[in-house]
Amino acid sequence: MSRRTPRLPSWLPVDPYILALVGTVAVAAILPASGAAADIAGGASTGAIALLFFLYGARLSTAEAVDGLKHWRLHLTVLACTFVAFPLLGLAARGLVPYVLTPQLHSGFLFLCLVPSTIQSSIAFTSIARGNVPAAICAGSFSSIAGIFLTPLLAAGLLGNSGGGFSADALLRIGVQLLLPFVAGQLLRRWINGFLTRHKKILGYVDRGSILLVVYTAFSEGVVTGIWHQVTPARLGALLGAEALLLALMLTLTWYGTKRLGFDRADRIAVQFAGSKKSLASGLPMASVIFGAQASYAVLPLMLFHQMQLMVCAVLAKRRSRDVPEAAPEGTEQASGPVGPRVGRAETSAAPGTGGEEPGRRRDDAVAEGAST
């Protein structure tokens, strides 16, 4: 008899990568990088982020992106959620100052609302929930590209002096670190796509390791500058509460708002996961450029929201996967139903050989790497 591997309950939001992220935060709190080590970690983190965006560009099929443009209503909806609804809620949170949030924490909270959406985690959770994966790929990519320009511009207009000022040089540095690697990946895709495909699993570890390095570097900087002494436990709890409310409002808006707009279930899932999240990998370098010495106050809300969105969306995606309408007998038309054609290669490669036997357990390779950005 074969011995069955013990499994955690399906309702328990535990993912190995989430545990790794939490562990990285703990290590940074106990052993933060300082001095020469901080310089080395910072340089490595900058290179890791550039590598991530290079891989994003290399992995994104140009044909898929062009085809995705045809679904312009979905992409405009995601962009509106990311760069209109989120900033409006961030501005409304000004009413929480000074009773709930300090002015510095509100600046960080508002900056969080200006950051672009994620790519990998949007893909991962959309795949788990059996939504429109190609749309999530395009929506996350469009948001990231737009954010390279829109986030600094919105920060300059909404944050003013609290954002550390704004200059063409700052925008140039952001473009060089994020946009150029992405464009380079797109230009080189035809020559390196085969290599990326053959080494997909190894590159997944590179992605995850890069984000762990970014998280460690950012938290180390906060610890060294004494942010935990300046932010009391009460203020930290208030910040978490405000971010929980923000996430709940956006998840509700993206789900029920898209229903009113007439999107089908697969598209609603893509909009919900692409339109309710914020990118840590994009936000961290932008924060360091825009806020300068005060970057820790911008990084803290973003990192806390990042952890929260991963845990909440992991549970929500699993729940959505169990809510797939069964329009046909199991193992017959499920893969070619209303969700199947939209999912494409990103999902069919998630669990080869499953044959649709247990949709709730079909996890894309991006789950491990996608809960990253």
Side-chain angles (χ1 to χ4, degrees), residues 235-298:
R235 291 292 189 183
L236 187 60
L239 176 61
L240 285 170
E243 292 190 345
L245 178 60
L246 174 67
L247 181 59
L249 288 173
M250 288 306 303
L251 287 172
T252 301
L253 175 64
T254 52
W255 185 247
Y256 293 101
T258 50
K259 183 178 181 180
R260 294 292 300 270
L261 290 174
F263 288 104
D264 63 23
R265 180 186 179 279
D267 288 346
R268 291 172 66 195
I269 290 173
V271 172
Q272 183 174 55
F273 288 121
S276 65
K277 283 201 267 332
K278 294 296 182 176
S279 172
L280 187 69
S282 298
L284 289 179
M286 292 181 185
S288 64
V289 173
I290 295 172
F291 285 84
Q294 300 297 318
S296 296
Y297 287 100

Side-chain angles (χ1 to χ4, degrees), residues 4 7 9 16 108 128 139 153 167 179 200 255 274-275:
R4 298 184 62 184
R7 293 182 179 274
I128 294 173
L153 292 174
S167 66
L179 180 60
K200 182 178 180 180
W255 185 247

